[in-house]
Amino acid sequence: MSSSLVEMAILFASLLIMFLSSNAQLSTTFYDSTCSNVSSVVRGVVERAAQNDVRIGAKLIRLHFHDCFVDGCDGSILLDNADGIESEKDAGPNAGSVDGFSVVDEIKTALENVCPGVVSCADILAISSQISVSLAGGRTWQVQLGRRDSRTANRAGVIDALPNALETLQQITQKFNNVGLDSTDLVALSGAHTFGRARCATFSHRLYDFNSSGNPDPSLDTTYLETLRQTCPQGGSNDNTLTNLDRSSPDGFDNDYFTNLQNNQGLLQTDQELFSTSGADTVGIVNRFANSQSDFFDSFGQSMINMGNIRPLTGNNGEIRLDCKRVN
């Protein structure tokens, strides 16, 4: 074989390796040989955190959600401001709203002690989300792993990418479609609101002057309306007061969220619209999940996998951060 053919063969092999490494797939067994006890380490930290903060599970899932919708599941939401980095934490939908960063840091420290430089911050969010659901009474699922961490953040992209509590079902659906998720994913992932809290500022517009009508949201149960008005009086002085997203079982992971929607007792506008939007394909999915908790659990696990597959960095892309708050 001539030297030119040998050189071409070596070049082709190098390009093939680069292609395969940059297009590596996520796997449930990714850490089996490099950090086999990753899940137990994460679980230990989350269990301890839950003893002091009943909301930590909802906070960790929300971090994973807000991370994945902005440029994919790359841990970018965890980065602090630094030279060349404008933190996503300071963007409107996140500022003063997302939390759980200190627990992520505790998990990272614990993992660095046993598996230094191995487990990504992006994967920490995925694993801790699954464990949080399991601890709250939900069903487990096989978490896909192998994500790497970004070296940058995208504060400017947060507002356009993330759903917000004032948007219509059509707008929310479009944002899910933009990242490859469908209506079943939308309804299933909204079911994470079966635990956690929301501030008055995110739903008080429904209580007094909905869509500048001078009246409350007509899709809101009147008895529930009066309860919410007591918690969030008109005028905005209680904007940061917290209310349970699921009034019937606020700290458990179950399908009560969906029966609440059937009873017009969804807290957020974007929750209730899933059921109260006439002709929407989400209505049937809400009914399905309300009728079968098992169906909801199965769909939620699959939708979490689907969300976790949004544009992950794999192979040689990105890095494994040693500190989730800053690039290496």
Side-chain angles (χ1 to χ4, degrees), residues 96-155:
S97 176
V98 291
D99 199 1
F101 298 106
S102 62
V103 174
V104 174
D105 289 338
E106 289 179 35
I107 294 170
K108 182 61 175 173
T109 298
L111 286 170
E112 286 299 308
N113 286 336
V114 294
C115 310
V118 173
V119 181
S120 69
C121 301
D123 275 349
I124 286 173
L125 294 181
I127 298 167
S128 61
S129 294
Q130 182 268 313
I131 289 170
S132 295
V133 169
S134 175
L135 291 176
R139 188 178 296 164
T140 188
W141 62 90
Q142 293 294 308
V143 181
Q144 303 283 313
L145 300 168
R147 300 168 192 81
R148 290 168 66 84
D149 299 319
S150 69
R151 295 188 178 97
T152 186
N154 183 11
R155 182 192 298 176

Side-chain angles (χ1 to χ4, degrees), residues 164-184:
N164 73 68
L166 304 181
E167 291 181 321
T168 65
L169 177 58
Q170 183 178 7
Q171 291 171 312
I172 297 292
T173 300
Q174 185 59 57
K175 289 186 174 182
F176 272 71
N177 291 344
N178 289 345
V179 292
L181 301 179
D182 61 18
S183 293
T184 299

Side-chain angles (χ1 to χ4, degrees), residues 3 18-19 22 26 30 33 47 50 61 63 89 100 103 115 172 195 211 218 224 236 282 302 310 312:
S3 61
M18 289 175 61
F19 174 81
S22 64
L26 302 183
F30 186 81
S33 62
E47 284 179 339
I61 286 184
L63 277 178
K89 298 176 184 180
V103 174
C115 310
I172 297 292
F195 62 176
N211 289 342
Y224 188 37
T282 55
Q302 184 57 55
I310 298 173

Side-chain angles (χ1 to χ4, degrees), residues 11-71:
L11 176 61
F12 176 79
S14 299
L15 291 173
L16 180 61
I17 292 170
M18 289 175 61
F19 174 81
L20 291 174
S21 64
S22 64
N23 290 273
Q25 298 298 307
L26 302 183
S27 166
T28 59
T29 60
F30 186 81
Y31 294 115
D32 280 7
S33 62
T34 55
C35 193
S36 59
N37 59 340
V38 56
S39 291
S40 62
V41 172
V42 176
R43 176 177 285 270
V45 177
V46 175
E47 284 179 339
R48 289 193 299 273
Q51 293 174 3
N52 299 315
D53 182 3
V54 71
R55 299 168 56 208
I56 191 58
K59 291 175 181 179
L60 291 170
I61 286 184
R62 193 155 185 258
L63 277 178
H64 187 35
F65 181 97
H66 282 222
D67 181 41
C68 290
F69 266 65
V70 182
D71 292 347

Side-chain angles (χ1 to χ4, degrees), residues 277-299:
T277 303
S278 179
D281 61 354
T282 55
V283 176
I285 304 171
V286 169
N287 287 333
R288 204 176 89 216
F289 292 163
N291 291 335
S292 172
Q293 181 164 278
S294 179
D295 193 349
F296 165 52
F297 283 176
D298 287 343
S299 296

